[in-house]
Amino acid sequence: MNEASRPSTCPVTASASSCCAPAIPDDVDALVFDFDGTLANTTPIHEHALRAALRPHGVGLNHDWYVRHVGLSIDDLLAALPGGRQLSRDEIIRHSRAHLIATVHSITPNSCVVSLLHAARHAGLPCAVASGASRLLVYPGLDAMGLTDEFAAVVAREDVRRGKPDPDLYLEAARRLGTPPDRCLAVDDAPDGITAARAADMYVIAVVDGHLIPTDEGAAHRFASVAAAPITARSADPAG
């Protein structure tokens, strides 16, 4: 399949400046998406839940610190938080997750990222989730947004030994998809997630303020070269 036959992620009538997601280059055979902050706009909810869980222990949560570590699971966040190793981590995690599960119905998808996901599925490309969050949160979140059936594989923090910024989550997602990592496109919003995807030898697009941005000059050139590709999908993957 040549580059020109990959579908655009925006309507045919959209201008290049208004298109929120790039076309998918020909040398990408699968896509792997982070969940929190990428597929779903959950970052404020997660920050609020963790801050509330820490408050009874007399520990504050600095917003800038949280933003820098937003790609980590709550267990890994507490391990990195100054003084976090001395806290009752099980109690804090239980408190935070209870809040998140109670509010899962209110999460909303990132429209540009979901546009890219739908374009990939329309083109017959398999997709996976590689999330640093627990499966107790990822699966209900996907279901709440009606996206569960779009993914051939979902990898959560419990499924690997090391979370982001190590590449394990992305490598496991590629393994489950049966696709070499260097033929996968990763989409992530967090510095640790982008580091993990690069360490897995994947192409990477970052989510910045809800928009999709190639993370290096080479990637920017590759995606710009196919941004105006017409919408002509290959046959959809019957396995979904």
Side-chain angles (χ1 to χ4, degrees), residues 70-143:
V70 72
L72 302 180
S73 68
I74 186 172
D75 194 58
D76 294 332
L77 275 169
L78 291 174
L81 182 71
R85 293 182 181 274
Q86 284 71 52
L87 298 173
S88 175
R89 291 163 69 179
D90 289 345
E91 180 182 343
I92 292 168
I93 290 171
R94 186 165 55 251
H95 184 161
S96 177
R97 284 181 178 167
H99 176 84
L100 294 172
I101 290 170
T103 58
V104 70
H105 63 280
S106 67
I107 67 174
T108 57
N110 184 324
S111 59
C112 283
V113 177
V114 172
S115 174
L116 179 63
L117 168 65
H118 286 162
R121 298 302 302 124
H122 184 61
L125 300 178
C127 296
V129 172
S131 174
S134 168
R135 63 172 71 99
L136 297 175
L137 300 174
V138 176
Y139 283 97
L142 290 172
D143 187 60

Side-chain angles (χ1 to χ4, degrees), residues 154-192:
V154 176
V155 183
R157 181 62 183 88
E158 298 95 329
D159 297 321
V160 297
R161 187 171 66 87
R162 301 173 301 177
K164 301 170 184 178
D166 289 295
D168 301 30
L169 283 160
Y170 279 109
L171 291 173
E172 177 62 15
R175 187 191 70 79
R176 293 188 186 186
L177 291 175
T179 305
D182 63 359
R183 302 285 296 188
C184 293
L185 170 64
V187 186
D188 208 303
D189 72 304
D192 283 336

Side-chain angles (χ1 to χ4, degrees), residues 15-103:
S15 67
S17 61
S18 66
C19 186
C20 70
I24 303 167
D26 188 57
D27 54 352
V28 168
D29 291 335
L31 281 76
V32 184
F33 295 82
D34 172 53
F35 181 72
D36 290 305
T38 298
L39 283 164
N41 296 313
T42 56
T43 300
I45 297 172
H46 278 252
E47 182 178 0
H48 175 76
L50 181 56
R51 181 174 285 110
L54 288 169
R55 190 175 297 120
H57 301 269
V59 177
L61 181 65
N62 179 273
H63 173 72
D64 292 338
W65 183 93
Y66 182 79
V67 169
R68 291 195 302 272
H69 295 82
V70 72
L72 302 180
S73 68
I74 186 172
D75 194 58
D76 294 332
L77 275 169
L78 291 174
L81 182 71
R85 293 182 181 274
Q86 284 71 52
L87 298 173
S88 175
R89 291 163 69 179
D90 289 345
E91 180 182 343
I92 292 168
I93 290 171
R94 186 165 55 251
H95 184 161
S96 177
R97 284 181 178 167
H99 176 84
L100 294 172
I101 290 170
T103 58

